[in-house]
Amino acid sequence: MTTTSTYDVHTVRAAFPILQRTVHGGKPLVYLDHAATAQKPQAVLDAIGHYYRTTNSNVHRGAHALSAEATAAFEDARAVIAGYVGAARNEEIVFTSGTTDGLNLLAATVLTSAQPGDEILLTEMEHHANIVPWQMVAQQRGLAIRVVPVRDDGTISVDDVASLLTERTKVFACAHVSNVLGTINPIAEWSALCQANGTRCIVDGAQAIQHCSVDVQALGCDAYVFSAHKLFGPTGFGVLWARYDFLDALPPYRGGGAMIDRVTFSGTTFNAIPMRFEAGTPHIEGAIGTAAAIRWLQEIDTTERIAHEDDLLRHTTAAMTAMDGLTILGTASHKVGIISFVVDGIHASDIGTLLDNMGIAIRAGHHCTQPLHQRFGIDASARASFALTSTREEADMFVEGLAKAIRMLR
Amino acid sequence: MTTTSTYDVHTVRAAFPILQRTVHGGKPLVYLDHAATAQKPQAVLDAIGHYYRTTNSNVHRGAHALSAEATAAFEDARAVIAGYVGAARNEEIVFTSGTTDGLNLLAATVLTSAQPGDEILLTEMEHHANIVPWQMVAQQRGLAIRVVPVRDDGTISVDDVASLLTERTKVFACAHVSNVLGTINPIAEWSALCQANGTRCIVDGAQAIQHCSVDVQALGCDAYVFSAHKLFGPTGFGVLWARYDFLDALPPYRGGGAMIDRVTFSGTTFNAIPMRFEAGTPHIEGAIGTAAAIRWLQEIDTTERIAHEDDLLRHTTAAMTAMDGLTILGTASHKVGIISFVVDGIHASDIGTLLDNMGIAIRAGHHCTQPLHQRFGIDASARASFALTSTREEADMFVEGLAKAIRMLR
Amino acid sequence: MSPSAAINQLADDFALFSDWEDKYAYIIDLGKHLRPYPEQYRTDEFKVRGCQSQVWLHPHVEGNTVHFDADSDAVIVRGLIALLMRVYDGATAKEILDTPTDFVRTLGLADHLSQNRANGLAAMLKQIHLYALAVQSRLESASS
Amino acid sequence: MSPSAAINQLADDFALFSDWEDKYAYIIDLGKHLRPYPEQYRTDEFKVRGCQSQVWLHPHVEGNTVHFDADSDAVIVRGLIALLMRVYDGATAKEILDTPTDFVRTLGLADHLSQNRANGLAAMLKQIHLYALAVQSRLESASS
Ligand SMILES: Cc1ncc(COP(=O)(O)O)c(C=O)c1O
Ligand SMILES: Cc1ncc(COP(=O)(O)O)c(C=O)c1O
């Protein structure tokens, strides 16, 4: 492992209690489903426990010490998250319940002045979370959905993006990283095209946030959303970053406490951002746990961990490419450690079941990307996904297990 | 404490690590802000830690052991919650991110076939979370909002409800328990009126869930929502119960993964309930933590804990009633351990600040009920709220501290 | 063979396997030899919800017994379907209703079948029971 | 008195209090004697966001110094306002901008003032600074 000589994966791995467990009667767990959800380092569990044991209180409300401490920790989390993605101001960070929630918020608020016939541009590789909310608003307002095609290698031609951006395109909503193909899309290029065209560029960062170093200024997009559970943080929490002026001009989404300025039965005025979009008691633990996850991650050298994951990707891809009748979906040169594949005459679910019995957790199905699967003429695929905790040994166990499963199924 | 002779509050209290802490340089914490958020027993912290250390995985998706275990625990939580509120079927339980989210979901989906001029009935004691979402939909669809007045004692006349229900009233949205007045509303009576009138009765159970024994069948309403964080569970999680046929007929709310049946760019079909309303990766930890909170609560005799809280309420109310220039808001005979009050010539926030310095955490402000405060001609009130962990000693410390604060401020 | 006799025989068969590989090799083999599914029933109407892979189930009555055609695009699921068919195919509605559905677990299959797969099975079992229930109540209303 | 001299004097005053009660009694007393707020400025325009209680702030320039009227409906907040006024009222824009806003913390007030209260103060401090900034930049553009 010469490429990752100073990266000590076993130390990083030791931070995750769940990775020590066994399944199916004593087999060590080989967790290769990190694209579905990331595991949590002890630092995150400690932060959650500490919050509830010492600080728990409603935020922005009480006049007492506990509430002040909780509010400080909560707003400190916002600052940590803002810093992590390169937000210009803390107010640009809206807390949501996840990527899905963030995309729904944007779909419901960004197009309120769109006219029938206006267009929303998506890509063929989008997750259902970045399709269905736009379909719902398109249906309500008579908007059209256009789709940028995916090429055989799992990439998208920038010319296709350019030619599908019309003067009616109000929004281009696209994944930073595909959860099936692993492709890292050139968001900076796409954002520039959008900006020149007067189109809002909204990025689904659900997969990118775990693997890439995300800087919203360099990406140049208008909004970026992700889920904490894929960033080693707690479930039920997510982040929406949007450029200040853009966010500030959006109407409210959910109504309730904290998002208001003044409520009367004859009319209500709304609070400033980000509070305007955070109705009700927020997921305080979620914010604090996510900040802990980021702090933990920041202890690790970014370049080295990305190189480590890249090594796993290339090593495993090479071994799989040699396997008979196996096709990898997504062979972009610029991709993260996600390998989706199909095997001639064998159903992905059968592969998943047999690997599971060997202790190896992968995923089988459509991965919430039915249109992408249709584009490749398939119903389902199998997917192995690595994280910074994955090892070469795990990669090899997966490859051997896969070969064995294929033998059993042929 | 003859009325609560077999209820051992000190044992119950010992389950809460945070209640052992001190504030402001060594003063024992007297937490009387349970209406804002409840504290968490060790059993809930253990369940959260256990989930992340042993089971964490995305649910309903993977083909592997971990995902199967997580899904089983997640759906077991649904069954526990369904049982706790008396749901007829597990599918009637939709997981949300909180009361606010649940009310927004209902406001956005229940009135999709309402006609301009149709009416939404609210009460004057509603929390902003049960006002603003209805105002937003009313504005979109040209509906009218009617309001049932609150009487001086903090109760509502059933005749007023009856006379405000017209043939155009599509929804009556009301609190089970007021977060300011403490009043327990006669939901069963109101539901019967609604049913006779063809009006949907939607109940905000945010405050009731911590104090009352909730049985949705006995209440007879159509929907009931609450937040886990007020039921000793984690933040960022909530529950929406709705009668099967009613829920099943509602259109989807948020779009994304899991809530779909089949997605194509030309159109999408939706999943069955409850999944139709649970787009995206859910707050798995939230569900499991909430089930742990309910299991913990079920170990305690309901009648005894309610009697204990009632004793605290009566004891404290009696002492406060004797205080000069102090007015309690909400003197219903049927109320929970929430005491809001104003003191002549003294601002609630000053009382809160001084009590805080004595280690006593209460809340001051409008408690997200500006219309109710307007009705009483005030901007703000102070509020002390008890839980099953509160003690007579704490009640007495509060009363003495309050007397001292008033002395300092006069 | 009655459902309970079939279950006993399955239990005997399964007792012979000492490891998961043999057991799965057997299930896969069963899957490969499942009776072909009539193509005219490969429609949405006969699709069973709740499975990762696709599953079709077409129930019908012949005389006083209930019969099932079933299929899946995943071979392990087909093997499991074959096991279910041994128990249910050709039984009377009453026999089906009298058979406790937890035999999947007691056979020791649940150890090796993930919950998800089991859920797919559970959905199929539910359909089989619902169908038997419908047949039985029709019989009863006809005879009363 | 310059802002820094005022802060030093406040620090000396506060050093005398051995417990929170004395400190608060003093703040409450200051609050009771705050200069009356001109009623014509008790409008939404002059309301400061971010406070639990209501707070009004009316800044204006007289000659080359900046002056503030301020009020709250809560007496402790009025006391804190009175403290701020000692530091800022009548200072030049430049003096205001040169005064580090963390003196509230270094005075030892933050120990006893909850963060929420401090947030209210912080919002007021921010307004004061914004106003001083506006005044200062007008001065500079006029002189350039
Ligand atoms: C009566 C009532 N309704 C609704 C809410 C809103 O609950 P949440 O903030 O958890 O969404 C609250 C709590 O603040 C409440 O007391
Ligand atoms: C690319 C992509 N977008 C969106 C989502 C949805 O994220 P969540 O389920 O956390 O809302 C996911 C994860 O499943 C994803 O991989």
Side-chain angles (χ1 to χ4, degrees):
Chain A
M1 248 194 275
T2 50
T3 54
T4 59
S5 52
T6 63
Y7 180 77
D8 182 5
V9 66
H10 293 286
T11 304
V12 173
R13 193 178 168 81
F16 290 74
I18 202 172
L19 297 180
Q20 326 299 321
R21 76 162 268 186
T22 60
V23 289
H24 289 303
K27 289 165 196 152
L29 170 66
V30 177
Y31 184 74
L32 298 181
D33 197 17
H34 297 280
T37 200
Q39 297 302 345
K40 320 303 167 200
Q42 187 61 41
V44 170
L45 305 191
D46 290 346
I48 294 172
H50 183 261
Y51 170 69
Y52 284 130
R53 277 197 316 278
T54 67
T55 323
N56 178 59
S57 175
N58 218 321
V59 291
H60 298 308
R61 298 192 179 184
H64 52 76
L66 226 52
S67 178
E69 289 179 27
T71 304
F74 183 69
E75 291 304 327
D76 171 66
R78 197 186 304 273
V80 167
I81 293 166
Y84 190 62
V85 299
R89 303 170 58 163
N90 293 347
E91 293 92 331
E92 293 178 345
I93 299 293
V94 173
F95 292 155
T96 68
S97 65
T99 306
T100 303
D101 189 36
L103 291 168
N104 276 274
L105 188 164
L106 289 167
T109 56
V110 171
L111 292 159
T112 41
S113 61
Q115 298 302 314
D118 281 350
E119 295 168 9
I120 299 164
L121 188 60
L122 305 175
T123 87
E124 208 172 17
M125 66 171 79
E126 296 313 310
H127 187 281
H128 294 165
N130 204 20
I131 299 175
V132 185
W134 302 108
Q135 284 184 326
M136 289 165 75
V137 66
Q139 200 172 356
Q140 273 161 33
R141 298 182 182 276
L143 312 179
I145 292 200
R146 302 264 172 275
V147 183
V148 190
V150 166
R151 295 184 288 199
D152 287 347
D153 67 351
T155 64
I156 282 175
S157 146
V158 71
D159 293 340
D160 283 346
V161 175
S163 70
L164 280 155
L165 281 170
T166 75
E167 56 181 11
R168 304 214 64 173
T169 314
K170 297 297 165 208
V171 163
F172 179 33
C174 54
H176 188 178
V177 166
S178 159
N179 65 317
V180 173
L181 308 164
T183 314
I184 304 174
N185 288 314
I187 298 297
E189 262 183 273
W190 294 359
S191 290
L193 289 175
C194 285
Q195 216 187 343
N197 196 58
T199 298
R200 292 298 181 183
C201 182
I202 290 173
V203 180
D204 171 357
Q207 288 297 330
I209 200 71
Q210 191 188 115
H211 303 286
C212 306
S213 157
V214 171
D215 175 355
V216 293
Q217 306 304 335
L219 293 174
C221 51
D222 294 294
Y224 195 96
V225 295
F226 60 91
S227 302
H229 73 93
K230 303 209 200 242
L231 183 61
F232 315 104
T235 60
F237 188 75
V239 173
L240 182 167
W241 167 83
R243 207 171 286 292
Y244 191 90
D245 293 336
F246 173 45
L247 185 65
D248 194 39
L250 297 181
Y253 176 48
R254 272 188 289 263
M259 58 75 75
I260 59 93
D261 174 30
R262 186 140 196 92
V263 175
T264 67
F265 282 114
S266 55
T268 289
T269 52
F270 301 107
N271 205 336
I273 60 169
M275 302 285 278
R276 189 193 310 154
F277 297 105
E278 296 180 357
T281 304
H283 188 357
I284 309 166
E285 174 221 309
I288 289 168
T290 302
I294 289 174
R295 287 200 171 101
W296 170 82
L297 197 57
Q298 284 173 327
E299 297 282 300
I300 298 164
D301 186 279
T302 309
T303 314
E304 290 186 0
R305 76 169 159 86
I306 290 177
H308 172 72
E309 291 184 43
D310 200 51
D311 171 70
L312 293 172
L313 170 68
R314 294 188 192 282
H315 175 75
T316 313
T317 302
M320 289 172 73
T321 306
M323 291 169 88
D324 207 33
L326 185 148
T327 309
I328 291 177
L329 304 173
T331 52
S333 58
H334 204 201
K335 65 177 276 194
V336 304
I338 290 175
I339 311 179
S340 297
F341 59 97
V342 287
V343 182
D344 287 350
I346 295 181
H347 197 284
S349 131
D350 290 326
I351 293 174
T353 302
L354 295 185
L355 284 173
D356 177 43
N357 274 283
M358 305 175 208
I360 302 165
I362 67 158
R363 198 175 153 196
H366 55 62
H367 318 303
C368 297
T369 56
Q370 289 181 343
L372 180 66
H373 278 74
Q374 283 156 30
R375 181 250 173 267
F376 284 102
I378 53 180
D379 281 323
S381 60
R383 179 184 72 189
S385 51
F386 297 112
L388 77 175
T389 51
S390 303
T391 65
R392 276 258 187 152
E393 295 75 45
E394 288 185 313
D396 292 339
M397 285 170 78
F398 162 67
V399 170
E400 279 162 36
L402 176 58
K404 176 171 178 170
I406 294 174
R407 273 198 309 277
M408 287 179 71
L409 290 162
R410 275 215 173 112
Chain B
M1 248 195 277
T2 50
T3 53
T4 59
S5 51
T6 62
Y7 180 78
D8 182 5
V9 65
H10 293 287
T11 304
V12 173
R13 192 179 169 83
F16 291 74
I18 203 172
L19 296 181
Q20 326 300 318
R21 76 164 269 185
T22 59
V23 289
H24 289 303
K27 289 166 194 151
L29 170 66
V30 177
Y31 185 75
L32 298 181
D33 197 15
H34 297 279
T37 200
Q39 297 302 346
K40 320 304 169 199
Q42 187 61 41
V44 170
L45 305 192
D46 290 345
I48 294 173
H50 183 261
Y51 170 69
Y52 285 130
R53 277 196 316 275
T54 68
T55 324
N56 178 59
S57 176
N58 217 321
V59 291
H60 301 305
R61 299 194 179 181
H64 54 76
L66 225 52
S67 178
E69 289 178 29
T71 304
F74 183 68
E75 290 304 328
D76 172 66
R78 198 187 303 275
V80 167
I81 294 166
Y84 191 62
V85 298
R89 303 170 58 162
N90 293 347
E91 294 93 330
E92 293 178 345
I93 299 293
V94 172
F95 293 156
T96 67
S97 65
T99 306
T100 302
D101 190 35
L103 291 168
N104 277 274
L105 188 164
L106 289 167
T109 57
V110 171
L111 292 160
T112 42
S113 61
Q115 299 302 314
D118 281 350
E119 295 169 8
I120 298 163
L121 189 60
L122 305 174
T123 86
E124 207 171 19
M125 66 172 78
E126 295 314 310
H127 187 279
H128 294 165
N130 204 20
I131 298 175
V132 185
W134 302 109
Q135 285 184 327
M136 287 165 77
V137 66
Q139 199 171 358
Q140 273 161 33
R141 301 185 180 274
L143 313 178
I145 293 199
R146 300 264 171 276
V147 184
V148 191
V150 166
R151 295 184 288 201
D152 287 346
D153 66 352
T155 64
I156 281 174
S157 146
V158 72
D159 293 341
D160 283 345
V161 174
S163 70
L164 280 155
L165 283 168
T166 75
E167 56 181 12
R168 303 215 63 172
T169 315
K170 297 297 164 205
V171 162
F172 178 34
C174 54
H176 188 178
V177 166
S178 159
N179 66 318
V180 173
L181 307 164
T183 313
I184 304 173
N185 288 314
I187 299 296
E189 261 183 274
W190 293 359
S191 291
L193 288 176
C194 286
Q195 215 186 343
N197 197 58
T199 298
R200 293 296 181 183
C201 183
I202 289 172
V203 180
D204 170 358
Q207 289 297 330
I209 200 70
Q210 190 188 115
H211 302 287
C212 305
S213 156
V214 171
D215 175 355
V216 292
Q217 307 304 335
L219 292 174
C221 51
D222 293 294
Y224 195 95
V225 295
F226 60 91
S227 303
H229 74 92
K230 301 206 201 243
L231 183 62
F232 314 104
T235 58
F237 188 75
V239 173
L240 182 169
W241 165 85
R243 207 170 285 292
Y244 191 91
D245 294 335
F246 172 47
L247 186 64
D248 194 40
L250 297 181
Y253 176 48
R254 271 187 291 262
M259 59 75 75
I260 58 95
D261 175 29
R262 187 141 196 92
V263 175
T264 67
F265 282 115
S266 55
T268 289
T269 52
F270 300 106
N271 205 336
I273 61 170
M275 303 284 278
R276 188 192 310 153
F277 297 106
E278 295 179 359
T281 303
H283 188 357
I284 309 167
E285 174 221 309
I288 289 168
T290 302
I294 289 174
R295 286 198 171 103
W296 171 80
L297 198 56
Q298 284 173 327
E299 297 282 300
I300 297 163
D301 186 278
T302 310
T303 314
E304 290 185 0
R305 76 169 158 86
I306 291 176
H308 172 74
E309 292 185 41
D310 199 52
D311 171 70
L312 293 171
L313 171 67
R314 291 185 196 285
H315 175 75
T316 314
T317 303
M320 289 171 74
T321 307
M323 291 167 88
D324 206 34
L326 186 150
T327 308
I328 291 177
L329 304 174
T331 52
S333 57
H334 204 202
K335 65 177 276 193
V336 305
I338 291 175
I339 310 179
S340 297
F341 59 97
V342 287
V343 180
D344 288 351
I346 295 181
H347 197 284
S349 131
D350 291 326
I351 292 174
T353 302
L354 295 185
L355 284 173
D356 176 42
N357 274 284
M358 305 175 207
I360 302 166
I362 67 158
R363 199 174 155 201
H366 55 62
H367 318 302
C368 297
T369 56
Q370 289 181 343
L372 180 66
H373 277 73
Q374 282 156 29
R375 180 251 175 266
F376 283 103
I378 52 181
D379 282 321
S381 60
R383 179 184 73 188
S385 50
F386 297 111
L388 78 175
T389 51
S390 303
T391 64
R392 277 257 189 156
E393 295 74 44
E394 288 184 313
D396 292 339
M397 284 169 78
F398 162 66
V399 170
E400 278 162 37
L402 176 58
K404 177 171 178 171
I406 294 174
R407 271 198 311 277
M408 286 179 74
L409 289 161
R410 273 215 175 113
Chain C
M1 204 184 324
S2 74
S4 57
I7 290 172
N8 287 338
Q9 180 168 338
L10 282 176
D12 289 349
D13 291 356
F14 270 77
L16 299 175
F17 299 123
S18 56
D19 68 3
W20 74 269
E21 292 184 40
D22 292 347
K23 204 181 278 188
Y24 270 95
Y26 175 69
I27 293 169
I28 290 166
D29 195 57
L30 284 178
K32 287 184 178 162
H33 298 98
L34 182 67
R35 185 172 78 210
Y37 185 76
E39 286 306 316
Q40 69 267 34
Y41 301 128
R42 201 179 295 283
T43 59
D44 271 2
E45 189 187 346
F46 296 107
K47 235 180 189 168
V48 178
R49 218 189 247 267
C51 300
Q52 282 234 326
S53 47
Q54 303 190 69
V55 172
W56 295 269
L57 177 74
H58 168 249
H60 55 280
V61 176
E62 286 173 22
N64 63 350
T65 54
V66 185
H67 297 257
F68 300 94
D69 301 308
D71 200 9
S72 171
D73 52 353
V75 72
I76 293 175
V77 179
R78 279 170 68 182
L80 297 169
I81 287 173
L83 289 176
L84 288 187
M85 290 304 101
R86 290 205 190 161
V87 175
Y88 292 116
D89 191 38
T92 65
K94 185 163 184 320
E95 281 173 335
I96 293 174
L97 294 174
D98 286 349
T99 305
T101 58
D102 62 353
F103 71 91
V104 184
R105 190 161 328 190
T106 49
L107 275 184
L109 271 176
D111 290 6
H112 289 298
L113 297 176
S114 80
Q115 182 81 16
N116 257 296
R117 181 80 48 241
N119 280 343
L121 272 194
M124 240 188 96
L125 278 174
K126 201 170 155 191
Q127 297 272 24
I128 289 175
H129 266 252
L130 282 176
Y131 189 75
L133 206 63
V135 171
Q136 183 69 6
S137 63
R138 212 163 27 176
L139 284 178
E140 279 165 11
S141 67
S143 70
S144 69
Chain D
M1 204 184 322
S2 74
S4 57
I7 290 172
N8 287 338
Q9 178 166 341
L10 282 175
D12 290 348
D13 289 356
F14 271 77
L16 298 176
F17 301 121
S18 56
D19 68 3
W20 73 269
E21 291 183 44
D22 291 348
K23 204 181 280 188
Y24 271 95
Y26 176 69
I27 293 170
I28 291 166
D29 195 56
L30 285 178
K32 288 185 178 161
H33 299 97
L34 182 67
R35 186 174 76 213
Y37 186 76
E39 285 308 315
Q40 70 267 34
Y41 301 128
R42 201 179 294 282
T43 59
D44 270 2
E45 190 188 345
F46 297 106
K47 235 180 189 168
V48 178
R49 220 188 248 267
C51 300
Q52 282 234 326
S53 46
Q54 303 191 68
V55 172
W56 295 269
L57 177 73
H58 169 250
H60 54 282
V61 176
E62 287 174 19
N64 62 349
T65 54
V66 186
H67 297 258
F68 300 95
D69 300 307
D71 199 9
S72 169
D73 52 353
V75 72
I76 294 175
V77 179
R78 280 171 68 184
L80 296 168
I81 287 172
L83 289 176
L84 288 187
M85 290 305 101
R86 289 203 190 164
V87 175
Y88 291 116
D89 191 40
T92 66
K94 184 162 184 321
E95 281 173 336
I96 292 175
L97 295 173
D98 287 348
T99 305
T101 57
D102 62 352
F103 71 89
V104 183
R105 190 160 329 190
T106 49
L107 274 184
L109 269 175
D111 292 4
H112 289 299
L113 296 175
S114 79
Q115 183 79 17
N116 255 296
R117 180 78 51 239
N119 279 343
L121 271 194
M124 238 186 97
L125 279 174
K126 203 169 154 191
Q127 296 273 25
I128 288 174
H129 267 250
L130 283 176
Y131 189 76
L133 206 63
V135 171
Q136 183 71 5
S137 63
R138 213 163 26 175
L139 283 180
E140 280 165 10
S141 68
S143 70
S144 71

